[in-house]
Amino acid sequence: MRGAYAAARPGRSEARATLMRPIAEKIFFAGEHLAGPLIQTCGGARLSGEAVARQVAAQLAAK
Ligand SMILES: Cc1cc2nc3c(=O)[nH]c(=O)nc-3n(C[C@H](O)[C@H](O)[C@H](O)COP(=O)(O)OP(=O)(O)OC[C@H]3O[C@@H](n4cnc5c(N)ncnc54)[C@H](O)[C@@H]3O)c2cc1C
């Protein structure tokens, strides 16, 4: 964490759904901007990071 938060341009909030998808199952995104109702908060950033960490761990365990 370093303390910034993002704001989608008007009408462009769907970009968050795009960022939630990993790239080639190798690059994962996490942070306040993907925290659903907790966007723009530290709590949301943490929950997003934990959720993505679980996603990565599950993917590694399946290999
Ligand atoms: C003035 C202000 C007041 C706030 N007050 C509150 C509050 O009272 N309560 C609350 O819950 N939230 C508050 N927030 C919001 C909170 O700070 C953010 O929601 C939270 O820090 C987001 O965490 P993050 O990890 O998603 O992003 P960040 O904390 O922004 O972390 C992103 C990290 O990525 C790094 N980075 C960026 N680009 C690159 C790159 N290309 N390569 C490598 N690293 C990169 C950055 O240096 C940074 O360390 C406030 C924010 C501001 C600006």
Side-chain angles (χ1 to χ4, degrees), residues 1 4 7 9-11 13 16-17 24 27-29 32 34 37 39 42-43 47 52 61-63:
M1 288 208 175
R9 289 185 179 172
S13 61
R16 297 182 195 278
I27 300 174
F28 293 76
F29 299 97
E32 60 74 23
L34 301 179
I39 59 170
C42 291
L47 292 175
V52 170
K63 288 191 177 179

Side-chain angles (χ1 to χ4, degrees), residues 1-6 30-33 38-46:
M1 288 208 175
R2 210 166 178 186
Y5 61 81
E32 60 74 23
H33 57 296
L38 290 177
I39 59 170
Q40 302 183 339
T41 68
C42 291
R46 175 177 172 151

Side-chain angles (χ1 to χ4, degrees), residues 19-29 56 59:
L19 275 173
M20 287 181 99
R21 289 196 287 275
I23 296 174
E25 300 301 321
K26 288 190 164 94
I27 300 174
F28 293 76
F29 299 97
V56 171
Q59 185 176 302

